[in-house]
Amino acid sequence: MISLKQINYALAVGKTLHFKKAAEMCNVSQSALSSAINEMETQLGLKVFERNNKHVFITDIGQQVLAKAQQVKLELDELMQLSQLDKSPLSTPMTLGIIPTIGPYLLPKVLPEVRKNYPDFRLKIVEAQSHELVDRVRNGDLDAAILALPYAIDGLMSLEFWQEDFYMVCHHEECPANTKEISTQEMAMDKLMLLKEGHCLKDHALAACQQKGLEKDSTFDATSLHTIVQMVAGKLGTTLVPEMALQQLLHNESELRALHLNEPGPHRSIAFIIRPNYVKTNDIEALMKLFRQQLKLLCTKPA
């Protein structure tokens, strides 16, 4: 009978396409890992992997085997988690993914309160872009992830805990005077600087402006909101910032102003994503309640 050890080894090779790296991931010797996989292939009567001196390939039937193995591993992990259901919330470890346009602005607001209320809770944070987090939640590498919606999460569930609007950030010398609101029609779209392609914040910002894309080839693409805000301070253009991030990004930036984007909202929603059969939903609910309380308390709109 195929063992869970063999399944874990095969999934590690499938992920790394490298026997040595897979062995290091599983904390075993390369020979032990190779022997276990050879034994599994013999038991199955098929080849999951083809390998030569330089490369490892997954066979066509091997792709199907690994997909089934992933399902088995998920079911077994969730079976083990059932024993934790009678314990108090957030008493067992959790690995949580979060996107870069949320993590730096959400975590400082909520983690101190998490530590205060659940001092023994062990939380591991993984920061990555949305597409990677969705895949890792789906295959069981992460317990859950925090994303900005809308975003395609086929096969997963979303649990929303926050909604917010965007604010246009501009240098005070280049902002409309005596106003706290601005519409898309009033904005100079050719001066708008957004994150580079691949960040869902860019798509959400354009959707809030009812724009499919910018009509210019931007030379100001950046990978962080902090960088773009510094560009705005240098009078290189304007940008759109979610409410959650305003306080940190505009702190000590007296020359910058934030104007609420006066377009139908909310402009984006923040949610946990989990697998439909994830058993520790009570932990997610506890975090959602705490996050919502802290965001309501600490997300102050510009005066």
Side-chain angles (χ1 to χ4, degrees), residues 45-78:
L46 52 83
K47 282 291 184 183
V48 177
F49 303 105
E50 293 178 356
R51 51 261 201 202
N52 56 34
N53 291 334
K54 293 184 178 180
H55 301 289
V56 175
F57 305 93
I58 305 173
T59 65
D60 290 342
I61 191 66
Q63 296 281 6
Q64 299 178 50
V65 170
L66 292 181
K68 289 292 185 181
Q70 185 67 57
Q71 292 178 19
V72 170
K73 182 178 183 301
L74 280 175
E75 293 291 341
L76 287 172
D77 288 346
E78 285 158 1

mmCIF file of all heavy atoms in Angstrom, residues 45-78:
data_model
loop_
_atom_site.group_PDB
_atom_site.id
_atom_site.type_symbol
_atom_site.label_atom_id
_atom_site.label_comp_id
_atom_site.label_asym_id
_atom_site.label_seq_id
_atom_site.Cartn_x
_atom_site.Cartn_y
_atom_site.Cartn_z
ATOM 1 N N GLY A 45 2.859 0.496 -10.676
ATOM 2 C CA GLY A 45 3.069 -0.093 -11.988
ATOM 3 C C GLY A 45 3.156 0.941 -13.089
ATOM 4 O O GLY A 45 2.786 0.675 -14.241
ATOM 5 N N LEU A 46 3.665 2.144 -12.746
ATOM 6 C CA LEU A 46 3.798 3.214 -13.735
ATOM 7 C C LEU A 46 4.893 4.170 -13.290
ATOM 8 O O LEU A 46 5.350 4.138 -12.150
ATOM 9 C CB LEU A 46 2.476 3.961 -13.929
ATOM 10 C CG LEU A 46 1.759 4.504 -12.675
ATOM 11 C CD1 LEU A 46 2.327 5.839 -12.246
ATOM 12 C CD2 LEU A 46 0.276 4.619 -12.928
ATOM 13 N N LYS A 47 5.308 5.010 -14.220
ATOM 14 C CA LYS A 47 6.326 6.007 -13.936
ATOM 15 C C LYS A 47 5.673 7.365 -13.704
ATOM 16 O O LYS A 47 4.949 7.870 -14.561
ATOM 17 C CB LYS A 47 7.321 6.117 -15.092
ATOM 18 C CG LYS A 47 8.355 5.004 -15.114
ATOM 19 C CD LYS A 47 9.324 5.140 -13.946
ATOM 20 C CE LYS A 47 10.416 4.090 -13.997
ATOM 21 N NZ LYS A 47 11.306 4.195 -12.820
ATOM 22 N N VAL A 48 5.910 7.935 -12.523
ATOM 23 C CA VAL A 48 5.428 9.286 -12.222
ATOM 24 C C VAL A 48 6.420 10.317 -12.742
ATOM 25 O O VAL A 48 6.023 11.357 -13.273
ATOM 26 C CB VAL A 48 5.228 9.467 -10.703
ATOM 27 C CG1 VAL A 48 4.786 10.894 -10.375
ATOM 28 C CG2 VAL A 48 4.202 8.462 -10.187
ATOM 29 N N PHE A 49 7.700 9.989 -12.623
ATOM 30 C CA PHE A 49 8.752 10.928 -13.036
ATOM 31 C C PHE A 49 9.695 10.266 -14.035
ATOM 32 O O PHE A 49 9.977 9.063 -13.943
ATOM 33 C CB PHE A 49 9.573 11.402 -11.821
ATOM 34 C CG PHE A 49 8.766 12.042 -10.741
ATOM 35 C CD1 PHE A 49 8.493 11.370 -9.570
ATOM 36 C CD2 PHE A 49 8.272 13.336 -10.905
ATOM 37 C CE1 PHE A 49 7.746 11.961 -8.564
ATOM 38 C CE2 PHE A 49 7.515 13.935 -9.907
ATOM 39 C CZ PHE A 49 7.255 13.243 -8.732
ATOM 40 N N GLU A 50 10.164 11.070 -14.967
ATOM 41 C CA GLU A 50 11.282 10.684 -15.828
ATOM 42 C C GLU A 50 12.437 11.599 -15.457
ATOM 43 O O GLU A 50 12.251 12.802 -15.298
ATOM 44 C CB GLU A 50 10.926 10.854 -17.305
ATOM 45 C CG GLU A 50 9.846 9.896 -17.792
ATOM 46 C CD GLU A 50 9.493 10.128 -19.261
ATOM 47 O OE1 GLU A 50 10.056 11.078 -19.838
ATOM 48 O OE2 GLU A 50 8.661 9.376 -19.795
ATOM 49 N N ARG A 51 13.630 11.032 -15.306
ATOM 50 C CA ARG A 51 14.742 11.877 -14.921
ATOM 51 C C ARG A 51 16.014 11.467 -15.656
ATOM 52 O O ARG A 51 16.196 10.303 -16.003
ATOM 53 C CB ARG A 51 14.997 11.851 -13.417
ATOM 54 C CG ARG A 51 15.115 10.487 -12.770
ATOM 55 C CD ARG A 51 13.817 10.106 -12.116
ATOM 56 N NE ARG A 51 13.950 9.092 -11.089
ATOM 57 C CZ ARG A 51 12.921 8.342 -10.716
ATOM 58 N NH1 ARG A 51 11.741 8.489 -11.279
ATOM 59 N NH2 ARG A 51 13.067 7.444 -9.761
ATOM 60 N N ASN A 52 16.839 12.480 -15.900
ATOM 61 C CA ASN A 52 18.171 12.236 -16.423
ATOM 62 C C ASN A 52 19.156 12.976 -15.529
ATOM 63 O O ASN A 52 18.803 13.384 -14.421
ATOM 64 C CB ASN A 52 18.278 12.668 -17.889
ATOM 65 C CG ASN A 52 17.885 14.129 -18.103
ATOM 66 O OD1 ASN A 52 18.125 14.981 -17.232
ATOM 67 N ND2 ASN A 52 17.280 14.432 -19.241
ATOM 68 N N ASN A 53 20.355 13.177 -15.980
ATOM 69 C CA ASN A 53 21.365 13.811 -15.127
ATOM 70 C C ASN A 53 21.079 15.282 -14.844
ATOM 71 O O ASN A 53 21.636 15.857 -13.904
ATOM 72 C CB ASN A 53 22.753 13.682 -15.777
ATOM 73 C CG ASN A 53 23.245 12.246 -15.772
ATOM 74 O OD1 ASN A 53 22.838 11.459 -14.917
ATOM 75 N ND2 ASN A 53 24.098 11.900 -16.717
ATOM 76 N N LYS A 54 20.238 15.912 -15.665
ATOM 77 C CA LYS A 54 20.022 17.352 -15.537
ATOM 78 C C LYS A 54 18.588 17.740 -15.193
ATOM 79 O O LYS A 54 18.358 18.775 -14.572
ATOM 80 C CB LYS A 54 20.429 18.058 -16.830
ATOM 81 C CG LYS A 54 21.925 17.995 -17.129
ATOM 82 C CD LYS A 54 22.257 18.797 -18.380
ATOM 83 C CE LYS A 54 23.758 18.771 -18.663
ATOM 84 N NZ LYS A 54 24.109 19.562 -19.884
ATOM 85 N N HIS A 55 17.613 16.957 -15.604
ATOM 86 C CA HIS A 55 16.227 17.390 -15.487
ATOM 87 C C HIS A 55 15.335 16.284 -14.923
ATOM 88 O O HIS A 55 15.627 15.096 -15.057
ATOM 89 C CB HIS A 55 15.682 17.838 -16.849
ATOM 90 C CG HIS A 55 16.454 18.961 -17.472
ATOM 91 N ND1 HIS A 55 16.422 20.248 -16.986
ATOM 92 C CD2 HIS A 55 17.305 18.968 -18.541
ATOM 93 C CE1 HIS A 55 17.196 21.020 -17.722
ATOM 94 N NE2 HIS A 55 17.755 20.274 -18.676
ATOM 95 N N VAL A 56 14.237 16.728 -14.299
ATOM 96 C CA VAL A 56 13.166 15.840 -13.855
ATOM 97 C C VAL A 56 11.894 16.257 -14.576
ATOM 98 O O VAL A 56 11.540 17.438 -14.591
ATOM 99 C CB VAL A 56 12.954 15.918 -12.327
ATOM 100 C CG1 VAL A 56 11.754 15.067 -11.908
ATOM 101 C CG2 VAL A 56 14.205 15.462 -11.589
ATOM 102 N N PHE A 57 11.214 15.278 -15.186
ATOM 103 C CA PHE A 57 9.968 15.555 -15.898
ATOM 104 C C PHE A 57 8.847 14.747 -15.265
ATOM 105 O O PHE A 57 9.059 13.627 -14.791
ATOM 106 C CB PHE A 57 10.088 15.174 -17.379
ATOM 107 C CG PHE A 57 11.243 15.832 -18.096
ATOM 108 C CD1 PHE A 57 12.478 15.201 -18.200
ATOM 109 C CD2 PHE A 57 11.080 17.089 -18.660
ATOM 110 C CE1 PHE A 57 13.535 15.807 -18.846
ATOM 111 C CE2 PHE A 57 12.138 17.707 -19.313
ATOM 112 C CZ PHE A 57 13.369 17.066 -19.408
ATOM 113 N N ILE A 58 7.661 15.323 -15.242
ATOM 114 C CA ILE A 58 6.478 14.598 -14.777
ATOM 115 C C ILE A 58 5.797 13.984 -15.996
ATOM 116 O O ILE A 58 5.498 14.690 -16.974
ATOM 117 C CB ILE A 58 5.505 15.535 -14.042
ATOM 118 C CG1 ILE A 58 6.218 16.261 -12.896
ATOM 119 C CG2 ILE A 58 4.313 14.740 -13.497
ATOM 120 C CD1 ILE A 58 5.367 17.331 -12.230
ATOM 121 N N THR A 59 5.551 12.686 -15.949
ATOM 122 C CA THR A 59 4.886 12.025 -17.067
ATOM 123 C C THR A 59 3.420 12.440 -17.129
ATOM 124 O O THR A 59 2.873 13.010 -16.170
ATOM 125 C CB THR A 59 4.966 10.497 -16.932
ATOM 126 O OG1 THR A 59 4.225 10.100 -15.760
ATOM 127 C CG2 THR A 59 6.415 10.034 -16.785
ATOM 128 N N ASP A 60 2.774 12.151 -18.244
ATOM 129 C CA ASP A 60 1.347 12.493 -18.374
ATOM 130 C C ASP A 60 0.521 11.798 -17.305
ATOM 131 O O ASP A 60 -0.327 12.415 -16.653
ATOM 132 C CB ASP A 60 0.846 12.111 -19.770
ATOM 133 C CG ASP A 60 1.406 13.004 -20.865
ATOM 134 O OD1 ASP A 60 1.897 14.106 -20.523
ATOM 135 O OD2 ASP A 60 1.368 12.610 -22.044
ATOM 136 N N ILE A 61 0.753 10.498 -17.114
ATOM 137 C CA ILE A 61 0.016 9.783 -16.070
ATOM 138 C C ILE A 61 0.465 10.249 -14.694
ATOM 139 O O ILE A 61 -0.317 10.271 -13.738
ATOM 140 C CB ILE A 61 0.206 8.248 -16.218
ATOM 141 C CG1 ILE A 61 -0.764 7.497 -15.308
ATOM 142 C CG2 ILE A 61 1.636 7.843 -15.933
ATOM 143 C CD1 ILE A 61 -2.226 7.668 -15.690
ATOM 144 N N GLY A 62 1.738 10.691 -14.602
ATOM 145 C CA GLY A 62 2.244 11.217 -13.341
ATOM 146 C C GLY A 62 1.513 12.467 -12.902
ATOM 147 O O GLY A 62 1.291 12.684 -11.697
ATOM 148 N N GLN A 63 1.118 13.306 -13.854
ATOM 149 C CA GLN A 63 0.337 14.502 -13.529
ATOM 150 C C GLN A 63 -0.959 14.116 -12.841
ATOM 151 O O GLN A 63 -1.377 14.747 -11.861
ATOM 152 C CB GLN A 63 0.042 15.302 -14.805
ATOM 153 C CG GLN A 63 1.257 15.874 -15.510
ATOM 154 C CD GLN A 63 1.776 17.140 -14.847
ATOM 155 O OE1 GLN A 63 1.295 17.543 -13.786
ATOM 156 N NE2 GLN A 63 2.757 17.773 -15.460
ATOM 157 N N GLN A 64 -1.601 13.069 -13.335
ATOM 158 C CA GLN A 64 -2.852 12.607 -12.726
ATOM 159 C C GLN A 64 -2.605 12.013 -11.342
ATOM 160 O O GLN A 64 -3.392 12.219 -10.416
ATOM 161 C CB GLN A 64 -3.511 11.573 -13.639
ATOM 162 C CG GLN A 64 -3.886 12.105 -15.015
ATOM 163 C CD GLN A 64 -4.502 11.039 -15.901
ATOM 164 O OE1 GLN A 64 -5.422 10.341 -15.484
ATOM 165 N NE2 GLN A 64 -3.984 10.904 -17.117
ATOM 166 N N VAL A 65 -1.503 11.276 -11.211
ATOM 167 C CA VAL A 65 -1.170 10.691 -9.914
ATOM 168 C C VAL A 65 -0.925 11.780 -8.878
ATOM 169 O O VAL A 65 -1.433 11.716 -7.745
ATOM 170 C CB VAL A 65 0.078 9.790 -10.038
ATOM 171 C CG1 VAL A 65 0.577 9.370 -8.652
ATOM 172 C CG2 VAL A 65 -0.239 8.557 -10.871
ATOM 173 N N LEU A 66 -0.165 12.810 -9.259
ATOM 174 C CA LEU A 66 0.139 13.883 -8.309
ATOM 175 C C LEU A 66 -1.114 14.670 -7.937
ATOM 176 O O LEU A 66 -1.255 15.119 -6.799
ATOM 177 C CB LEU A 66 1.202 14.813 -8.896
ATOM 178 C CG LEU A 66 2.598 14.214 -9.059
ATOM 179 C CD1 LEU A 66 3.563 15.249 -9.625
ATOM 180 C CD2 LEU A 66 3.135 13.670 -7.744
ATOM 181 N N ALA A 67 -2.011 14.859 -8.902
ATOM 182 C CA ALA A 67 -3.266 15.560 -8.597
ATOM 183 C C ALA A 67 -4.071 14.773 -7.563
ATOM 184 O O ALA A 67 -4.624 15.342 -6.609
ATOM 185 C CB ALA A 67 -4.075 15.773 -9.869
ATOM 186 N N LYS A 68 -4.144 13.460 -7.735
ATOM 187 C CA LYS A 68 -4.848 12.622 -6.759
ATOM 188 C C LYS A 68 -4.119 12.610 -5.420
ATOM 189 O O LYS A 68 -4.740 12.648 -4.351
ATOM 190 C CB LYS A 68 -4.975 11.194 -7.296
ATOM 191 C CG LYS A 68 -5.955 11.037 -8.437
ATOM 192 C CD LYS A 68 -7.387 11.263 -7.977
ATOM 193 C CE LYS A 68 -8.376 10.993 -9.083
ATOM 194 N NZ LYS A 68 -9.791 11.246 -8.651
ATOM 195 N N ALA A 69 -2.788 12.581 -5.481
ATOM 196 C CA ALA A 69 -1.999 12.581 -4.246
ATOM 197 C C ALA A 69 -2.236 13.861 -3.454
ATOM 198 O O ALA A 69 -2.308 13.839 -2.219
ATOM 199 C CB ALA A 69 -0.517 12.420 -4.584
ATOM 200 N N GLN A 70 -2.350 14.993 -4.165
ATOM 201 C CA GLN A 70 -2.618 16.263 -3.491
ATOM 202 C C GLN A 70 -3.974 16.226 -2.792
ATOM 203 O O GLN A 70 -4.128 16.714 -1.670
ATOM 204 C CB GLN A 70 -2.566 17.402 -4.508
ATOM 205 C CG GLN A 70 -2.702 18.789 -3.904
ATOM 206 C CD GLN A 70 -1.512 19.148 -3.037
ATOM 207 O OE1 GLN A 70 -0.375 19.138 -3.497
ATOM 208 N NE2 GLN A 70 -1.758 19.463 -1.781
ATOM 209 N N GLN A 71 -4.963 15.650 -3.449
ATOM 210 C CA GLN A 71 -6.293 15.533 -2.844
ATOM 211 C C GLN A 71 -6.240 14.662 -1.588
ATOM 212 O O GLN A 71 -6.849 14.982 -0.564
ATOM 213 C CB GLN A 71 -7.275 14.940 -3.851
ATOM 214 C CG GLN A 71 -7.580 15.847 -5.035
ATOM 215 C CD GLN A 71 -8.527 15.182 -6.021
ATOM 216 O OE1 GLN A 71 -9.223 14.227 -5.694
ATOM 217 N NE2 GLN A 71 -8.533 15.678 -7.246
ATOM 218 N N VAL A 72 -5.509 13.550 -1.684
ATOM 219 C CA VAL A 72 -5.381 12.649 -0.532
ATOM 220 C C VAL A 72 -4.709 13.368 0.634
ATOM 221 O O VAL A 72 -5.156 13.270 1.786
ATOM 222 C CB VAL A 72 -4.577 11.389 -0.921
ATOM 223 C CG1 VAL A 72 -4.227 10.566 0.323
ATOM 224 C CG2 VAL A 72 -5.372 10.545 -1.904
ATOM 225 N N LYS A 73 -3.636 14.104 0.343
ATOM 226 C CA LYS A 73 -2.925 14.826 1.402
ATOM 227 C C LYS A 73 -3.833 15.857 2.068
ATOM 228 O O LYS A 73 -3.833 15.995 3.305
ATOM 229 C CB LYS A 73 -1.687 15.512 0.834
ATOM 230 C CG LYS A 73 -0.850 16.242 1.884
ATOM 231 C CD LYS A 73 0.376 16.868 1.282
ATOM 232 C CE LYS A 73 1.249 17.541 2.349
ATOM 233 N NZ LYS A 73 0.521 18.603 3.078
ATOM 234 N N LEU A 74 -4.610 16.577 1.270
ATOM 235 C CA LEU A 74 -5.532 17.560 1.834
ATOM 236 C C LEU A 74 -6.552 16.894 2.750
ATOM 237 O O LEU A 74 -6.841 17.392 3.846
ATOM 238 C CB LEU A 74 -6.247 18.320 0.719
ATOM 239 C CG LEU A 74 -5.485 19.453 0.052
ATOM 240 C CD1 LEU A 74 -6.291 20.027 -1.109
ATOM 241 C CD2 LEU A 74 -5.168 20.551 1.054
ATOM 242 N N GLU A 75 -7.115 15.762 2.300
ATOM 243 C CA GLU A 75 -8.119 15.062 3.102
ATOM 244 C C GLU A 75 -7.507 14.575 4.423
ATOM 245 O O GLU A 75 -8.133 14.683 5.482
ATOM 246 C CB GLU A 75 -8.681 13.881 2.317
ATOM 247 C CG GLU A 75 -9.508 14.272 1.101
ATOM 248 C CD GLU A 75 -10.825 14.931 1.468
ATOM 249 O OE1 GLU A 75 -11.277 14.783 2.626
ATOM 250 O OE2 GLU A 75 -11.416 15.593 0.602
ATOM 251 N N LEU A 76 -6.291 14.072 4.356
ATOM 252 C CA LEU A 76 -5.644 13.588 5.571
ATOM 253 C C LEU A 76 -5.304 14.739 6.519
ATOM 254 O O LEU A 76 -5.468 14.621 7.740
ATOM 255 C CB LEU A 76 -4.377 12.803 5.218
ATOM 256 C CG LEU A 76 -4.609 11.425 4.606
ATOM 257 C CD1 LEU A 76 -3.300 10.824 4.111
ATOM 258 C CD2 LEU A 76 -5.260 10.487 5.630
ATOM 259 N N ASP A 77 -4.830 15.852 5.947
ATOM 260 C CA ASP A 77 -4.538 17.022 6.789
ATOM 261 C C ASP A 77 -5.794 17.500 7.502
ATOM 262 O O ASP A 77 -5.762 17.849 8.693
ATOM 263 C CB ASP A 77 -3.974 18.156 5.925
ATOM 264 C CG ASP A 77 -2.553 17.884 5.458
ATOM 265 O OD1 ASP A 77 -1.915 16.967 6.000
ATOM 266 O OD2 ASP A 77 -2.089 18.585 4.535
ATOM 267 N N GLU A 78 -6.903 17.537 6.772
ATOM 268 C CA GLU A 78 -8.146 18.012 7.374
ATOM 269 C C GLU A 78 -8.696 17.006 8.380
ATOM 270 O O GLU A 78 -9.335 17.380 9.366
ATOM 271 C CB GLU A 78 -9.150 18.331 6.272
ATOM 272 C CG GLU A 78 -8.798 19.644 5.564
ATOM 273 C CD GLU A 78 -9.382 19.761 4.175
ATOM 274 O OE1 GLU A 78 -10.094 18.840 3.745
ATOM 275 O OE2 GLU A 78 -9.111 20.786 3.518
#
